[in-house]
Amino acid sequence: MTQEKQKKGLPTSVLLALAVVVTAVIVGVAAYYLFGQAPKPQANLLEIYHWWTSGGEKAAIDALVAVFQKKYPDVGVIQSPVAGGAGYVFKSVMKSMVAAGEAPDAFQVHAGYEMKPYVDAGFLEPIDDLWRQEGWESVFPPVVRDMVSWGGHYYAVPVNIHRANVLWYNKKILDQYGIDPSTLETWDGFFAACEKLRAAGIQYPIAMGGIGKWEIAHVIEQIFVSQGVDFYQDLVNGKLNDPNDPRLVNAFNIMKKYMNYVNPDYASLTWDQAVAKVIRGEAAFTIMGDWANGEFYVAGKQFGVDYGAMPSPGTKGIYVLVVDCFEKPKGAKHPENSIRWLRVVGSREGQDAFNPIKGSISARLDADVTKYGPYQRAAIQDFKTAKYMVPSIVHGSGAPEKFASAFNDIASKFAADRDVAAACKAIIDAINAAKSDYTKTWHLTG
Ligand code: GAL
């Protein structure tokens, strides 16, 4: 009875109230579509952490997020960047968050040793199923697959392959002073060019940063590589034990010479401020990973016209690998979105949106080359034909974290005191102190 009565008609007051509610919903939906201001449902979020805050880095991650948003328009994406190149601030922030059970849905991490403490502590989920579903084993090269797997399981998805051993130059300066880039392939030729520029009035032809220390270690790492892959292999395997090893001594002597031509304010500059000096023509050279290309790109500079790049002296045919990844932390608050993010990160579309801006090449072998600029097209070719691929220490892959962080301190101390013997001894001491952490044996020489 009661139900029947209700069906016949609702009181006017109730109808009026309903009308108000319906109108409010219509207005709200219209406002959302017109102005995009309605908040996304709180539960459907993706929160990611990374350290990409320079001009080129930000543009690149925004492009990747845009691919995600196009696929999953209902998911609200929160990017939480922690400024500081190479993650020198980020890394400890993230470690504390993860240890406190506050892991986001995904965070930036380098392939290789940098992932290991997270894997060992059980903070990451193995994602073998995802790798299988996406068919990634057939598109990512073995060298990269090896760097993201531990104990036979995949724990991360690579988003790129950067090259660390790159010498960037201001082409107009080189042209003006008649310096042929092919003369920069050796350290002797490189220093001769620095001398020439100094004589012409460019007092500090090399730009370098140093605010996070790693910028200095980055240069020393490329000098180490120039001492031969055998030497570098011993270094990453923790096998160097002689502070008088001529290759080690020679490397620091080269760095000592290098420092003569570096801007004296290096210790207060970020890596991208150093690149900006080359962009503005205040310096001719900087040695930096190919994320530098992103800075030239956002500054509107043209490769081959305004600037050029080549393997840093003595490293032709060698590709020093830097691989950025994301993973699925255990206890992520939005596990489904974490997986969706990883799918986009590993996808051809995602990588081909991100990498052309970032300066890296796609970690996939099936990249659409037409989407990449001239620097990266050459890098893709170099990657295919590289004689040796070696993992960067400074960017988390090659050696245990304990050594990598000691290396940054040694580098910044050396830049200030230029004491070759002390630096060589400190390197050997740092290897010995990290001895039990060397769990990987790299076979770089084939
Ligand atoms: C590297 C990272 C690159 C780039 C660079 C400077 O460690 O792999 O993606 O961001 O630091 O921040």
Side-chain angles (χ1 to χ4, degrees), residues 186-200:
T186 63
W187 286 113
D188 283 349
F190 175 73
F191 289 129
C194 289
E195 248 335 285
K196 190 170 189 183
L197 292 172
R198 176 165 283 177

Side-chain angles (χ1 to χ4, degrees), residues 51-52 57 85-86 108 110 162 214 271 291 322 324 358 395:
W51 63 79
W52 289 322
E57 291 176 327
Q108 184 184 354
H110 287 124
H162 270 303
W214 69 269
W271 69 271
W291 42 92
V322 179
D324 294 302
K358 189 69 168 57
H395 302 279

Side-chain angles (χ1 to χ4, degrees), residues 111-133:
Y113 272 108
E114 195 176 299
M115 297 171 54
K116 193 165 182 289
Y118 293 112
V119 175
D120 287 351
F123 287 141
L124 304 183
E125 283 192 15
I127 47 172
D128 302 322
D129 288 347
L130 182 65
W131 270 74
R132 203 169 315 112
Q133 287 159 18

Side-chain angles (χ1 to χ4, degrees), residues 334-348:
H334 312 95
E336 194 187 344
N337 289 337
S338 175
I339 289 289
R340 286 169 164 172
W341 172 249
L342 296 183
R343 283 191 207 283
V344 170
V345 162
S347 70
R348 188 174 189 242

Side-chain angles (χ1 to χ4, degrees), residues 112-394:
Y113 272 108
E114 195 176 299
M115 297 171 54
K116 193 165 182 289
Y118 293 112
V119 175
D120 287 351
F123 287 141
L124 304 183
E125 283 192 15
I127 47 172
D128 302 322
D129 288 347
L130 182 65
W131 270 74
R132 203 169 315 112
Q133 287 159 18
E134 296 292 318
W136 284 334
E137 290 214 318
S138 56
V139 288
F140 290 120
V143 63
V144 171
R145 292 199 322 252
D146 186 49
M147 284 161 74
V148 294
S149 47
W150 296 91
H153 296 288
Y154 289 112
Y155 284 95
V157 183
V159 68
N160 61 6
I161 299 175
H162 270 303
R163 186 179 199 176
N165 56 321
V166 187
L167 170 69
W168 301 90
Y169 55 83
N170 181 306
K171 185 162 186 306
K172 297 205 160 131
I173 296 183
L174 262 52
D175 288 349
Q176 184 181 348
Y177 296 103
I179 295 169
D180 176 351
S182 70
T183 63
L184 310 173
E185 286 180 9
T186 63
W187 286 113
D188 283 349
F190 175 73
F191 289 129
C194 289
E195 248 335 285
K196 190 170 189 183
L197 292 172
R198 176 165 283 177
I202 305 179
Q203 184 69 1
Y204 299 109
I206 304 175
M208 190 177 82
I211 199 162
K213 300 181 181 174
W214 69 269
E215 303 87 342
I216 309 160
H218 183 104
V219 174
I220 300 177
E221 174 178 287
Q222 310 327 311
I223 299 175
F224 282 163
V225 175
S226 77
Q227 299 307 296
V229 175
D230 284 340
F231 170 72
Y232 194 76
Q233 180 171 281
D234 285 348
L235 177 67
V236 288
N237 287 338
K239 292 266 153 42
L240 288 185
N241 49 28
D242 178 7
N244 298 314
D245 186 317
R247 302 163 302 176
L248 186 60
V249 175
N250 196 33
F252 277 107
N253 275 320
I254 292 173
M255 186 58 182
K256 189 171 177 178
K257 215 163 181 189
Y258 190 92
M259 288 305 300
N260 283 333
Y261 302 101
V262 164
N263 48 294
D265 61 347
Y266 69 89
S268 63
L269 296 192
T270 60
W271 69 271
D272 48 313
Q273 286 172 326
V275 174
K277 276 180 179 285
V278 178
I279 292 176
R280 290 194 300 263
E282 290 165 20
F285 305 118
T286 192
I287 289 180
M288 187 40 66
D290 56 12
W291 42 92
N293 198 56
E295 302 308 301
F296 287 102
Y297 174 84
V298 293
K301 298 296 175 189
Q302 255 189 294
F303 184 76
V305 177
D306 302 304
Y307 71 105
M310 58 188 286
S312 49
T315 68
K316 201 176 171 179
I318 304 175
Y319 216 99
V320 182
L321 303 166
V322 179
V323 180
D324 294 302
C325 304
F326 287 92
E327 65 313 272
K328 180 165 185 266
K330 259 187 202 151
K333 294 193 183 60
H334 312 95
E336 194 187 344
N337 289 337
S338 175
I339 289 289
R340 286 169 164 172
W341 172 249
L342 296 183
R343 283 191 207 283
V344 170
V345 162
S347 70
R348 188 174 189 242
E349 189 188 353
Q351 303 227 346
D352 286 347
F354 176 77
N355 290 304
I357 306 174
K358 189 69 168 57
S360 32
I361 60 174
S362 173
R364 299 177 56 119
L365 296 167
D366 63 351
D368 178 356
V369 180
T370 63
K371 297 219 159 77
Y372 292 77
Y375 165 72
Q376 283 139 310
R377 288 191 195 188
I380 290 171
Q381 208 43 40
D382 277 8
F383 182 79
K384 279 193 195 140
T385 56
K387 193 152 177 234
Y388 300 110
M389 305 224 179
V390 312
S392 166
I393 296 168
V394 175

